[in-house]
Amino acid sequence: MKTTIAKGLLSVKAVSLNVKEPCTWASDIKSPIYCDKRITLSYPKLRKEITKVLFLLFQKNIQKRM
């Protein structure tokens, strides 16, 4: 599943790499890798896969806390 998401994000060009001018996150951390998640709005299948994986991770973490 994670590989599918990574390939999907790369195929729709939602992930970019810029070593010379890294993006600055709101936390002021600089990163050469940027993922523009807004792009996924135009790709419902990819968005659905991302949602499914996030839901499974959420469920797994909830179960650990109980």
Coordinates of all heavy atoms in Angstrom, one line a residue:
M1 N 0.8 -1.2 0.0 CA 0.0 0.0 0.0 C 0.9 1.3 0.0 O 0.6 2.2 -0.7 CB -0.9 0.0 1.2 CG -2.1 -0.8 1.1 SD -3.3 -0.6 2.4 CE -2.7 -1.7 3.6
K2 N 1.9 1.3 0.9 CA 2.7 2.5 0.9 C 3.5 2.7 -0.4 O 3.6 3.9 -0.8 CB 3.7 2.4 2.1 CG 3.1 2.4 3.5 CD 4.1 2.2 4.5 CE 3.4 2.0 5.9 NZ 4.3 1.8 7.0
T3 N 3.9 1.6 -1.0 CA 4.6 1.7 -2.3 C 3.6 2.3 -3.3 O 4.0 3.1 -4.2 CB 5.1 0.4 -2.7 OG1 6.0 -0.1 -1.7 CG2 5.9 0.5 -4.0
T4 N 2.4 1.9 -3.3 CA 1.4 2.4 -4.3 C 1.2 3.9 -4.1 O 1.1 4.6 -5.1 CB 0.0 1.6 -4.0 OG1 0.2 0.2 -4.2 CG2 -1.0 2.1 -5.0
I5 N 1.1 4.3 -2.9 CA 1.0 5.7 -2.6 C 2.2 6.5 -3.1 O 2.0 7.5 -3.7 CB 0.7 6.0 -1.1 CG1 -0.7 5.4 -0.7 CG2 0.8 7.5 -0.8 CD1 -1.0 5.5 0.7
A6 N 3.4 6.0 -2.8 CA 4.6 6.7 -3.2 C 4.7 6.8 -4.7 O 4.9 7.9 -5.2 CB 5.8 6.0 -2.6
K7 N 4.4 5.7 -5.4 CA 4.4 5.7 -6.9 C 3.3 6.7 -7.4 O 3.6 7.4 -8.4 CB 4.2 4.3 -7.4 CG 5.4 3.4 -7.2 CD 5.1 2.1 -7.8 CE 6.3 1.1 -7.6 NZ 6.1 -0.2 -8.1
G8 N 2.2 6.7 -6.8 CA 1.1 7.6 -7.2 C 1.4 9.0 -7.0 O 1.2 9.8 -8.0
L9 N 2.0 9.4 -5.9 CA 2.4 10.8 -5.7 C 3.5 11.2 -6.7 O 3.4 12.3 -7.2 CB 2.9 11.0 -4.2 CG 1.8 10.9 -3.1 CD1 2.5 10.8 -1.8 CD2 0.8 12.0 -3.2
L10 N 4.4 10.3 -7.0 CA 5.4 10.6 -7.9 C 4.8 10.8 -9.3 O 5.2 11.7 -10.1 CB 6.5 9.6 -7.9 CG 7.4 9.6 -6.7 CD1 8.3 8.3 -6.7 CD2 8.3 10.9 -6.7
S11 N 3.9 9.9 -9.7 CA 3.3 9.9 -11.0 C 2.5 11.2 -11.3 O 2.5 11.6 -12.5 CB 2.5 8.7 -11.3 OG 1.3 8.7 -10.6
V12 N 1.9 11.7 -10.3 CA 1.1 13.0 -10.5 C 1.9 14.2 -10.2 O 1.4 15.3 -10.2 CB -0.2 13.0 -9.7 CG1 -1.1 11.8 -10.0 CG2 0.1 13.0 -8.2
K13 N 3.2 14.0 -10.0 CA 4.1 15.1 -9.7 C 3.8 15.9 -8.5 O 3.9 17.1 -8.4 CB 4.3 16.0 -10.9 CG 4.9 15.2 -12.1 CD 5.1 16.1 -13.3 CE 5.6 15.5 -14.5 NZ 5.8 14.1 -14.7
A14 N 3.3 15.2 -7.4 CA 3.0 15.9 -6.2 C 4.2 16.0 -5.3 O 4.2 16.8 -4.3 CB 1.9 15.1 -5.4
V15 N 5.2 15.2 -5.6 CA 6.5 15.3 -4.8 C 7.6 15.9 -5.6 O 7.7 15.6 -6.8 CB 6.9 13.8 -4.4 CG1 8.2 13.9 -3.6 CG2 5.8 13.2 -3.6
S16 N 8.3 16.9 -5.0 CA 9.4 17.5 -5.7 C 10.6 17.5 -4.8 O 10.5 17.4 -3.5 CB 9.0 18.9 -6.0 OG 8.7 19.7 -4.9
L17 N 11.8 17.6 -5.4 CA 13.0 17.6 -4.7 C 13.8 18.8 -5.2 O 14.0 19.0 -6.4 CB 13.8 16.3 -5.0 CG 15.2 16.1 -4.5 CD1 15.2 16.0 -2.9 CD2 15.9 14.9 -5.0
N18 N 14.3 19.6 -4.2 CA 15.1 20.8 -4.5 C 16.1 21.0 -3.5 O 15.8 21.5 -2.4 CB 14.2 22.0 -4.7 CG 14.9 23.2 -5.2 OD1 16.1 23.3 -5.2 ND2 14.1 24.1 -5.7
V19 N 17.3 20.5 -3.8 CA 18.4 20.6 -2.8 C 18.9 22.0 -2.6 O 19.3 22.4 -1.6 CB 19.5 19.6 -3.2 CG1 20.7 19.7 -2.2 CG2 19.0 18.2 -3.3
K20 N 18.9 22.7 -3.8 CA 19.5 24.1 -3.7 C 18.6 25.1 -3.0 O 19.1 26.0 -2.3 CB 19.7 24.6 -5.2 CG 20.8 23.9 -5.9 CD 21.0 24.4 -7.3 CE 22.1 23.6 -8.0 NZ 22.3 24.1 -9.3
E21 N 17.3 24.9 -3.1 CA 16.3 25.8 -2.4 C 15.3 25.0 -1.7 O 14.2 24.8 -2.2 CB 15.6 26.7 -3.4 CG 16.6 27.7 -4.1 CD 15.8 28.6 -5.0 OE1 14.7 29.0 -4.7 OE2 16.4 28.9 -6.1
P22 N 15.6 24.4 -0.5 CA 14.7 23.6 0.2 C 13.5 24.4 0.7 O 13.5 25.6 0.9 CB 15.5 23.1 1.4 CG 16.6 24.0 1.6 CD 16.9 24.6 0.2
C23 N 12.3 23.7 0.8 CA 11.1 24.3 1.3 C 11.3 24.5 2.8 O 12.0 23.8 3.5 CB 9.9 23.5 1.0 SG 9.7 22.0 1.9
T24 N 10.6 25.5 3.3 CA 10.6 25.8 4.8 C 9.2 25.5 5.3 O 8.2 26.1 4.9 CB 11.0 27.2 5.1 OG1 12.3 27.5 4.5 CG2 11.1 27.5 6.6
W25 N 9.1 24.5 6.2 CA 7.9 24.2 6.8 C 7.5 25.2 7.9 O 8.3 26.1 8.3 CB 8.0 22.8 7.5 CG 8.3 21.7 6.5 CD1 9.5 21.1 6.3 CD2 7.4 21.1 5.6 NE1 9.5 20.2 5.4 CE2 8.2 20.1 4.9 CE3 6.1 21.2 5.3 CZ2 7.6 19.3 3.9 CZ3 5.5 20.4 4.3 CH2 6.3 19.5 3.6
A26 N 6.2 25.2 8.3 CA 5.7 26.1 9.3 C 6.6 26.1 10.6 O 6.7 27.1 11.3 CB 4.3 25.9 9.6
S27 N 7.2 24.9 10.9 CA 8.0 24.7 12.1 C 9.4 25.3 11.9 O 10.2 25.3 12.7 CB 8.1 23.3 12.4 OG 8.8 22.6 11.3
D28 N 9.6 25.9 10.7 CA 10.9 26.5 10.3 C 12.0 25.5 10.0 O 13.1 25.8 9.8 CB 11.4 27.5 11.4 CG 12.3 28.6 10.8 OD1 12.0 29.0 9.7 OD2 13.2 29.1 11.5
I29 N 11.6 24.2 9.9 CA 12.5 23.2 9.4 C 12.6 23.2 7.9 O 11.5 23.4 7.2 CB 12.0 21.8 9.9 CG1 12.0 21.7 11.4 CG2 12.8 20.7 9.3 CD1 11.4 20.4 12.0
K30 N 13.8 23.1 7.4 CA 14.0 23.1 6.0 C 14.1 21.7 5.5 O 14.7 20.8 6.1 CB 15.2 23.9 5.6 CG 15.1 25.4 6.0 CD 16.2 26.2 5.4 CE 16.1 27.6 5.8 NZ 14.8 28.3 5.6
S31 N 13.5 21.4 4.3 CA 13.5 20.1 3.7 C 13.7 20.2 2.2 O 13.0 21.0 1.6 CB 12.2 19.3 4.1 OG 12.2 18.1 3.4
P32 N 14.5 19.3 1.6 CA 14.7 19.3 0.2 C 13.5 18.6 -0.5 O 13.3 18.7 -1.7 CB 16.0 18.6 -0.1 CG 16.1 17.7 1.1 CD 15.5 18.4 2.3
I33 N 12.7 17.9 0.3 CA 11.5 17.2 -0.3 C 10.2 17.9 0.1 O 10.0 18.3 1.2 CB 11.5 15.7 0.2 CG1 12.8 15.0 -0.1 CG2 10.3 15.0 -0.3 CD1 13.0 13.7 0.6
Y34 N 9.4 18.1 -0.9 CA 8.1 18.7 -0.7 C 7.0 17.9 -1.3 O 7.2 17.4 -2.5 CB 8.1 20.2 -1.3 CG 6.8 20.8 -1.1 CD1 6.3 21.3 0.1 CD2 5.9 21.0 -2.2 CE1 5.1 21.9 0.3 CE2 4.7 21.7 -2.1 CZ 4.3 22.1 -0.8 OH 3.1 22.7 -0.7
C35 N 5.9 17.7 -0.6 CA 4.8 17.0 -1.2 C 3.6 18.0 -1.2 O 3.1 18.4 -0.1 CB 4.5 15.8 -0.4 SG 3.1 14.8 -1.0
D36 N 3.1 18.3 -2.4 CA 1.9 19.2 -2.5 C 0.7 18.3 -2.5 O 0.3 17.8 -3.6 CB 2.0 20.0 -3.8 CG 1.0 21.1 -3.8 OD1 0.0 21.0 -3.0 OD2 1.1 22.0 -4.7
K37 N 0.1 18.1 -1.4 CA -1.1 17.2 -1.2 C -2.3 17.7 -2.0 O -3.2 16.9 -2.3 CB -1.3 16.9 0.2 CG -0.2 16.2 0.9 CD -0.2 16.3 2.4 CE 0.1 17.6 3.0 NZ 1.4 18.2 2.7
R38 N -2.3 19.0 -2.2 CA -3.5 19.6 -2.9 C -3.7 19.0 -4.3 O -4.8 18.9 -4.8 CB -3.4 21.1 -3.0 CG -3.4 21.8 -1.7 CD -3.0 23.2 -1.8 NE -1.6 23.3 -2.3 CZ -0.9 24.4 -2.6 NH1 -1.5 25.6 -2.4 NH2 0.3 24.4 -3.1
I39 N -2.6 18.6 -4.9 CA -2.6 18.0 -6.3 C -3.5 16.7 -6.3 O -4.1 16.4 -7.3 CB -1.2 17.7 -6.8 CG1 -0.5 19.0 -7.1 CG2 -1.2 16.8 -8.0 CD1 1.0 18.9 -7.4
T40 N -3.5 16.0 -5.2 CA -4.2 14.7 -5.1 C -5.7 14.9 -5.2 O -6.5 14.0 -5.5 CB -3.9 13.9 -3.8 OG1 -4.4 14.7 -2.7 CG2 -2.5 13.6 -3.7
L41 N -6.2 16.2 -5.0 CA -7.6 16.5 -5.2 C -8.1 16.1 -6.6 O -9.3 15.8 -6.8 CB -7.9 17.9 -4.9 CG -7.7 18.3 -3.4 CD1 -7.9 19.8 -3.2 CD2 -8.6 17.6 -2.5
S42 N -7.3 16.2 -7.6 CA -7.6 15.9 -8.9 C -7.5 14.4 -9.3 O -7.8 14.0 -10.4 CB -6.8 16.7 -9.9 OG -6.9 18.0 -9.7
Y43 N -7.1 13.6 -8.3 CA -6.9 12.1 -8.5 C -7.6 11.3 -7.5 O -7.0 10.9 -6.5 CB -5.4 11.8 -8.5 CG -4.7 12.6 -9.6 CD1 -4.1 13.8 -9.4 CD2 -4.5 12.0 -10.9 CE1 -3.5 14.5 -10.3 CE2 -3.9 12.7 -11.9 CZ -3.3 14.0 -11.6 OH -2.7 14.7 -12.6
P44 N -8.9 11.1 -7.7 CA -9.8 10.4 -6.7 C -9.3 9.0 -6.3 O -9.4 8.6 -5.1 CB -11.1 10.3 -7.3 CG -11.1 11.1 -8.5 CD -9.7 11.5 -8.8
K45 N -8.8 8.2 -7.2 CA -8.3 6.9 -6.8 C -7.1 7.0 -5.9 O -7.0 6.2 -4.9 CB -7.9 6.1 -8.1 CG -9.0 5.6 -8.9 CD -8.5 4.7 -10.0 CE -9.7 4.2 -10.9 NZ -9.2 3.4 -12.0
L46 N -6.2 7.9 -6.2 CA -5.0 8.0 -5.3 C -5.4 8.6 -4.0 O -5.0 8.1 -2.9 CB -4.0 9.0 -6.0 CG -2.7 9.4 -5.2 CD1 -1.9 8.1 -4.8 CD2 -1.9 10.4 -5.9
R47 N -6.3 9.5 -4.0 CA -6.8 10.1 -2.7 C -7.5 9.0 -1.9 O -7.3 9.0 -0.7 CB -7.8 11.2 -3.1 CG -7.8 12.3 -2.0 CD -8.6 13.5 -2.5 NE -10.0 13.2 -2.7 CZ -10.6 13.4 -3.9 NH1 -10.0 14.0 -4.9 NH2 -11.9 13.0 -4.1
K48 N -8.2 8.2 -2.5 CA -8.9 7.1 -1.8 C -7.9 6.1 -1.2 O -8.1 5.7 0.0 CB -9.8 6.3 -2.7 CG -10.9 5.5 -2.1 CD -11.8 4.9 -3.1 CE -13.2 4.8 -2.5 NZ -14.2 4.4 -3.5
E49 N -6.8 5.8 -1.9 CA -5.8 4.9 -1.4 C -5.1 5.6 -0.2 O -4.8 4.9 0.8 CB -4.8 4.6 -2.5 CG -3.7 3.6 -2.1 CD -4.3 2.2 -1.9 OE1 -5.3 1.9 -2.4 OE2 -3.6 1.4 -1.2
I50 N -4.8 6.9 -0.3 CA -4.2 7.6 0.9 C -5.1 7.6 2.1 O -4.7 7.3 3.2 CB -3.8 9.0 0.4 CG1 -2.7 9.0 -0.6 CG2 -3.4 9.9 1.7 CD1 -2.5 10.4 -1.3
T51 N -6.4 7.8 1.8 CA -7.4 7.8 2.9 C -7.4 6.5 3.6 O -7.5 6.3 4.8 CB -8.8 8.2 2.4 OG1 -8.6 9.5 1.8 CG2 -9.8 8.2 3.5
K52 N -7.4 5.4 2.8 CA -7.5 4.0 3.3 C -6.3 3.7 4.2 O -6.4 3.2 5.3 CB -7.5 3.0 2.2 CG -7.7 1.6 2.6 CD -8.0 0.7 1.4 CE -6.8 0.5 0.6 NZ -7.1 -0.5 -0.5
V53 N -5.1 4.1 3.8 CA -3.9 3.8 4.6 C -3.9 4.7 5.9 O -3.5 4.2 6.9 CB -2.6 4.1 3.7 CG1 -1.4 4.1 4.6 CG2 -2.5 3.1 2.6
L54 N -4.3 5.9 5.8 CA -4.3 6.8 7.0 C -5.3 6.2 8.0 O -5.1 6.2 9.2 CB -4.6 8.2 6.6 CG -3.5 9.0 5.9 CD1 -4.0 10.3 5.4 CD2 -2.3 9.1 6.8
F55 N -6.5 5.7 7.5 CA -7.5 5.2 8.4 C -6.9 3.9 9.1 O -7.1 3.7 10.3 CB -8.7 4.8 7.6 CG -9.8 4.2 8.4 CD1 -10.5 5.0 9.3 CD2 -10.1 2.9 8.4 CE1 -11.5 4.5 10.1 CE2 -11.1 2.3 9.2 CZ -11.8 3.1 10.0
L56 N -6.2 3.0 8.3 CA -5.7 1.8 8.9 C -4.6 2.2 10.0 O -4.6 1.6 11.0 CB -5.0 0.9 7.8 CG -6.0 0.3 6.9 CD1 -5.3 -0.4 5.7 CD2 -6.9 -0.7 7.6
L57 N -3.8 3.2 9.7 CA -2.8 3.6 10.7 C -3.5 4.2 11.9 O -3.0 4.0 13.0 CB -1.9 4.7 10.1 CG -0.9 4.1 9.0 CD1 -0.2 5.3 8.3 CD2 0.2 3.2 9.7
F58 N -4.5 5.0 11.7 CA -5.3 5.5 12.8 C -5.9 4.4 13.7 O -5.7 4.4 14.9 CB -6.4 6.4 12.3 CG -7.3 7.0 13.3 CD1 -6.8 8.1 14.1 CD2 -8.6 6.5 13.5 CE1 -7.6 8.6 15.1 CE2 -9.4 7.1 14.5 CZ -8.9 8.1 15.3
Q59 N -6.5 3.4 13.0 CA -7.1 2.3 13.8 C -6.0 1.6 14.6 O -6.2 1.2 15.7 CB -7.7 1.3 12.8 CG -9.1 1.6 12.4 CD -9.7 0.5 11.6 OE1 -9.1 -0.1 10.8 NE2 -11.0 0.2 11.9
K60 N -4.9 1.3 14.0 CA -3.8 0.6 14.6 C -3.3 1.4 15.9 O -3.1 0.8 16.9 CB -2.6 0.5 13.6 CG -1.5 -0.4 14.1 CD -0.5 -0.5 13.0 CE 0.7 -1.3 13.4 NZ 1.7 -1.5 12.3
N61 N -3.2 2.7 15.7 CA -2.7 3.5 16.9 C -3.8 3.5 18.0 O -3.4 3.6 19.2 CB -2.3 4.9 16.4 CG -1.0 4.9 15.8 OD1 -0.1 4.2 16.2 ND2 -0.8 5.7 14.7
I62 N -5.0 3.6 17.6 CA -6.1 3.6 18.6 C -6.1 2.3 19.4 O -6.2 2.3 20.6 CB -7.5 3.8 18.0 CG1 -7.6 5.2 17.5 CG2 -8.6 3.5 18.9 CD1 -7.6 6.3 18.5
Q63 N -5.9 1.2 18.7 CA -5.9 -0.1 19.4 C -4.7 -0.3 20.3 O -4.9 -0.9 21.3 CB -5.9 -1.3 18.3 CG -7.2 -1.4 17.5 CD -7.1 -2.4 16.4 OE1 -6.0 -2.9 16.0 NE2 -8.2 -2.6 15.8
K64 N -3.6 0.3 20.0 CA -2.4 0.3 20.9 C -2.7 1.0 22.2 O -2.2 0.6 23.2 CB -1.2 0.9 20.2 CG -0.5 0.1 19.2 CD 0.7 0.8 18.7 CE 1.3 0.0 17.6 NZ 2.5 0.7 17.0
R65 N -3.5 2.0 22.1 CA -3.8 2.8 23.3 C -4.8 2.2 24.3 O -5.0 2.6 25.4 CB -4.2 4.2 22.9 CG -3.1 5.0 22.3 CD -3.5 6.4 21.9 NE -2.4 7.0 21.2 CZ -2.3 8.3 21.0 NH1 -3.3 9.1 21.4 NH2 -1.3 8.8 20.4
M66 N -5.6 1.2 23.8 CA -6.6 0.6 24.6 C -6.1 -0.6 25.3 O -5.3 -1.2 25.1 CB -7.8 0.3 23.7 CG -8.4 1.5 23.1 SD -9.8 1.0 22.1 CE -10.9 2.4 22.3

